[in-house]
Amino acid sequence: MDFQLSDDQKLIRDTARDFAQNELAPLAGKFDEEQRFPTEIIGRLAELGFLGMFVPEEFGGAGTDNLSYILAVEEISRVCASTGVIVSVNNSLVCHPLLKFGNEEQKRRVLTPLARGQKLGAFSLTEPSSGSDAASLKTVATRKDGGYVLRGQKCFVTNGPNADYVLVFATLDPAKRSKGIACFILEKGMKGFSVGTIEKKMGIRAALSCELVLDDVEVPAANLLGEEGQGFKIAMNTLDGGRNGIAAQALGIAQASLDASVKYAKERHQFGKAISEFQAIQWMLADMKTETDAARLLTYRAAASKETQEYYGLETAEAKLFASHVAVASAIKAVQIHGGAGYMHDHPVERYMRDSKITELYEGTSEIQRLVIANNVLKGN
Ligand code: CAA
């Protein structure tokens, strides 16, 4: 087994680290506090190629391997988990399905500007009455004049308020459950397509999430991604990769929690010595380090499996399940190590704690990851 990163992977990790530490760090707390989309850094993300990382250069991407993408999400999330998920959604949940299931025209017209970072994308599966049970979605697509008309309501759409393109899942026949679903490319400005309530959230407050309203939106046939009835499989395959991105986001939060805790434990003195000299603190640091390293191994293994395996949903579910648990546990320990100071806005650990929780919820809750893992185990995978 080779646990070494290649020179190219190290270069991309270091570029992401420099960008995050030097350009993003001074702004991350402000974005969170103001609950504001980080418009001013989107251009830099695009320039650095972070919005279309594994997309081939011919379609506007950076043409990297999948692990390089995961390294970038980790480093960005280590500083700003909101920016981490903006990057992850555009790459994993939008560029990936367009690249895998799109036709040549869709790749030129839609994927290319998304991968270049000239446009931003979102992915819209969830509805008020269908979350974990995604196949029960109620947004309806009706065939009309060679195209489709979409009607329904979506919710919790990350990047939704800022997206130029949204992949929307709708059913042509609810009785067919997963087999009736299709995926459509919706464009900002389409008649009847609007942003509803923008959610007020506990964490990742700079990555805006919203409802989307589809009021008889006419969608041309050219905007059907894949085939009618293939939508659920497109969604599941897309989430298989997306969950790796969220594992990387969680890993970034866990590492940031450890970094802040080590620094504070050396600086803070009580009972005449640095609190890092107390075993109670050392044991927390030891657990945080060990669990973060274990999460990293699972997350990188999942990233590598996408390069060589047709199905990588087991590896990404394991990575997301474990890394999200570690992010939450590490962020809570970080606040504990900081004591009362950690509960205050002045220290970023309270942001890490709020940001960490979503990693156990979106792109499939931890219970859904266990379901995916158990199904695989029982099939002998
Ligand atoms: N890849 C390809 N196909 C897959 C697949 C995968 N990973 N998983 C399942 N399928 C196929 C199955 O093979 C089956 O096809 P056949 O009938 O032809 O065999 C079909 O899909 C239906 O599969 P299931 O019977 O397993 O489907 P289910 O209804 O039992 O649901 C589930 C399975 C795992 C629970 C799924 O519904 C699921 O993942 N739920 C969670 C949804 C989720 O993650 N939502 C997050 C939305 S995005 C978000 O969080 C917001 C954001 O903006 C970031």
Side-chain angles (χ1 to χ4, degrees):
M1 278 179 99
D2 185 2
F3 289 100
Q4 299 304 311
L5 298 178
S6 69
D7 288 346
D8 282 352
Q9 289 162 344
K10 281 185 201 154
L11 181 67
I12 288 166
R13 181 199 58 192
D14 293 347
T15 304
R17 187 173 293 171
D18 288 349
F19 160 73
Q21 302 287 343
N22 298 326
E23 298 180 51
L24 197 49
L27 301 170
K30 208 164 116 82
F31 292 148
D32 168 70
E33 201 167 324
E34 295 172 5
Q35 201 162 174
R36 181 165 69 77
F37 184 76
T39 312
E40 57 265 54
I41 58 109
I42 298 295
R44 280 295 285 146
L45 292 171
E47 255 172 45
L48 292 165
F50 292 149
L51 290 168
M53 291 203 67
F54 48 72
V55 177
E57 289 174 17
E58 64 166 316
F59 298 120
T64 72
D65 67 349
N66 193 47
L67 179 52
S68 297
Y69 155 59
I70 289 302
L71 292 165
V73 175
E74 177 188 347
E75 290 300 332
I76 291 168
S77 303
R78 191 171 167 187
V79 168
C80 178
S82 291
T83 306
V85 75
I86 292 167
V87 169
S88 181
V89 165
N90 202 68
N91 278 276
S92 286
L93 298 191
V94 188
C95 287
H96 165 83
L98 285 164
L99 183 63
K100 187 169 166 90
F101 301 100
N103 57 35
E104 185 69 21
E105 187 274 328
Q106 290 167 338
K107 287 181 195 174
R108 299 261 165 239
R109 175 170 56 97
V110 184
L111 173 60
T112 303
L114 283 166
R116 284 191 185 135
Q118 295 162 332
K119 302 277 182 194
L120 191 72
F123 172 94
S124 183
L125 179 67
T126 305
E127 299 182 0
S129 63
S130 69
S132 293
D133 183 9
S136 69
L137 62 81
K138 291 191 170 61
T139 295
V140 172
T142 314
R143 293 179 198 91
K144 190 188 165 196
D145 301 336
Y148 302 87
V149 175
L150 266 61
R151 186 169 188 81
Q153 195 186 343
K154 296 286 181 179
C155 63
F156 304 160
V157 186
T158 310
N159 287 354
N162 310 92
D164 301 285
Y165 292 107
V166 184
L167 299 185
V168 169
F169 295 84
T171 179
L172 287 146
D173 183 354
K176 288 191 181 164
R177 268 190 60 95
S178 65
K179 291 192 169 44
I181 295 172
C183 178
F184 300 91
I185 304 165
L186 267 77
E187 300 173 26
K188 189 179 185 169
M190 279 179 159
K191 196 161 170 284
F193 182 42
S194 60
V195 170
T197 306
I198 299 179
E199 304 296 345
K200 293 193 173 73
K201 297 183 293 191
M202 175 195 286
I204 58 156
R205 287 157 46 97
L208 303 188
S209 307
C210 67
E211 292 175 336
L212 291 176
V213 180
L214 299 113
D215 187 7
D216 290 338
V217 187
E218 293 192 12
V219 181
N223 282 26
L224 173 70
L225 183 67
E227 294 167 15
E228 289 185 3
Q230 198 189 4
F232 191 76
K233 289 187 183 182
I234 293 176
M236 291 299 110
N237 173 270
T238 299
L239 286 165
D240 285 344
R243 289 165 184 168
N244 203 175
I246 302 307
Q249 183 199 28
L251 183 54
I253 297 170
Q255 185 64 52
S257 301
L258 176 59
D259 297 341
S261 299
V262 169
K263 183 169 179 292
Y264 188 80
K266 286 183 183 169
E267 287 168 4
R268 173 75 174 164
H269 282 69
Q270 288 292 277
F271 304 103
K273 52 187 174 182
I275 62 169
S276 60
E277 291 181 40
F278 293 106
Q279 198 177 49
I281 303 294
Q282 290 175 359
W283 285 23
M284 281 196 266
L285 295 175
D287 286 348
M288 289 162 82
K289 171 68 177 160
T290 307
E291 289 168 8
T292 301
D293 274 353
R296 181 168 288 114
L297 289 175
L298 279 175
T299 303
Y300 291 4
R301 181 189 70 156
S305 71
K306 186 170 180 248
E307 301 288 351
T308 54
Q309 296 169 204
E310 180 59 25
Y311 173 73
Y312 40 84
L314 170 60
E315 287 82 357
T316 59
E318 286 180 61
K320 182 179 182 294
L321 174 65
F322 189 71
S324 61
H325 166 75
V326 171
V328 172
S330 294
I332 289 173
K333 284 195 184 89
V335 171
Q336 195 66 26
I337 289 168
H338 282 68
Y343 200 70
M344 306 298 152
H345 268 308
D346 305 345
H347 284 274
V349 289
E350 67 85 32
R351 172 162 56 91
Y352 304 157
M353 185 169 153
R354 288 185 288 105
D355 284 352
S356 66
K357 184 60 201 173
I358 190 64
T359 64
E360 292 187 321
L361 303 172
Y362 60 10
E363 299 199 30
T365 59
S366 294
E367 291 69 28
I368 291 295
Q369 308 312 316
R370 289 189 173 91
L371 185 150
V372 170
I373 296 163
N375 283 346
N376 273 280
V377 169
L378 294 169
K379 278 188 210 154
N381 291 343

